[in-house]
């Protein structure tokens, strides 16, 4: 199956899965959203496993968790690391929004919501490309995913995590 056909056959599922991420207000700079950070990390874990990863974990750090997943095919293949972040910027001032920040809407073929692009949308596209490659048998590399929850506040916990 070619990728355009795969996208067309799974479009509605893809949109709902992306929206399920966007609806989580994972604002790393606001302590009242700590539970949302964990919820978003767990949702990413579900999606990465469903996409075809062999394993995926939500790993504790001194700050927000890191989602780490991998697909191993062979030592003969190179390994690709997919980095992304699931935290978003605050929505203030809220009165300047023309839409509800965490309730995505589609207007003129664009998704409007906090995180639709930076970075839930971008990371989601990478996960879905991986899914296609796995399901179509075209994957020719090992893949590791690392999604952090503090990019918008400087990635403080990521350095110790990587060590």
């Amino acid at each position: 199956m070619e990728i355009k056909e795969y996208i067309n056959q799974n479009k509605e599922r893809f949109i709902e899965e992306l929206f399920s991420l966007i609806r989580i207000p994972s604002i790393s700079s606001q302590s009242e959203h700590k539970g949302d950070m964990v919820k978003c990390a767990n949702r990413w874990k579900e999606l990465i496993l469903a996409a075809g990863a062999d394993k995926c974990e939500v790993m504790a750090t001194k700050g927000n968790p890191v989602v780490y997943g991998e697909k191993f095919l062979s030592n003969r293949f190179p390994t690709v690391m997919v980095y992304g972040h699931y935290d978003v910027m605050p929505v203030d001032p809220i009165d300047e929004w023309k839409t509800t920040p965490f309730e995505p809407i589609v207007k003129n073929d664009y998704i409007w919501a906090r995180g639709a692009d930076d970075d839930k949308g971008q990371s989601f596209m990478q996960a879905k490309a991986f899914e296609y490659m796995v399901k179509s048998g075209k994957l020719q590399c090992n893949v590791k995913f690392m999604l952090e929850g503090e990019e918008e506040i400087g990635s403080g916990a990521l350095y110790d995590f990587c060590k």
Side-chain angles (χ1 to χ4, degrees):
M1 174 182 310
E2 293 304 312
I3 192 160
K4 286 185 180 183
E5 182 182 356
Y6 189 78
I7 291 168
N8 286 332
Q9 287 181 1
N10 292 280
K11 182 180 178 180
E12 293 306 313
R13 175 175 63 88
F14 290 170
I15 290 170
E16 188 47 46
E17 288 175 355
L18 175 58
F19 285 10
S20 75
L21 287 167
I22 293 171
R23 287 183 178 114
I24 303 169
S26 51
I27 304 170
S28 57
S29 64
Q30 297 175 344
S31 59
E32 63 267 26
H33 289 284
K34 183 70 173 174
D36 294 317
M37 300 304 297
V38 173
K39 181 178 179 182
C40 195
N42 283 314
R43 181 64 179 132
W44 267 114
K45 175 184 173 181
E46 293 169 356
L47 291 170
I48 291 169
L49 286 170
D54 298 324
K55 65 179 183 177
C56 189
E57 301 176 54
V58 174
M59 304 175 83
T61 71
K62 290 179 182 175
N64 293 315
V66 169
V67 181
Y68 176 81
E70 59 184 47
K71 176 76 172 176
F72 179 79
L73 296 179
S74 171
N75 286 326
R76 296 178 295 125
F77 289 134
T79 299
V80 172
M81 170 69 81
V82 177
Y83 164 84
H85 65 93
Y86 60 89
D87 63 322
V88 298
M89 295 292 290
V91 296
D92 297 324
I94 192 72
D95 58 337
E96 293 186 15
W97 280 81
K98 293 179 175 37
T99 61
T100 304
F102 296 105
E103 186 49 51
I105 62 165
V106 178
K107 287 193 316 190
N108 301 322
D109 293 328
Y110 290 94
I111 299 171
W112 296 86
R114 176 64 88 213
D117 183 32
D118 179 17
D119 188 46
K120 293 175 184 180
Q122 175 65 34
S123 297
F124 187 79
M125 285 189 291
Q126 293 165 330
K128 292 300 136 184
F130 166 75
E131 176 183 309
Y132 168 72
M133 297 299 287
V134 170
K135 306 251 187 219
S136 67
K138 296 180 181 183
L139 188 66
Q140 295 293 307
C141 62
N142 303 308
V143 179
K144 295 182 179 187
F145 287 91
M146 184 172 65
L147 303 173
E148 66 153 316
E150 296 185 348
E151 190 274 342
E152 299 293 2
I153 55 173
S155 302
L158 185 61
Y159 298 100
D160 285 338
F161 174 82
C162 288
K163 287 178 188 175

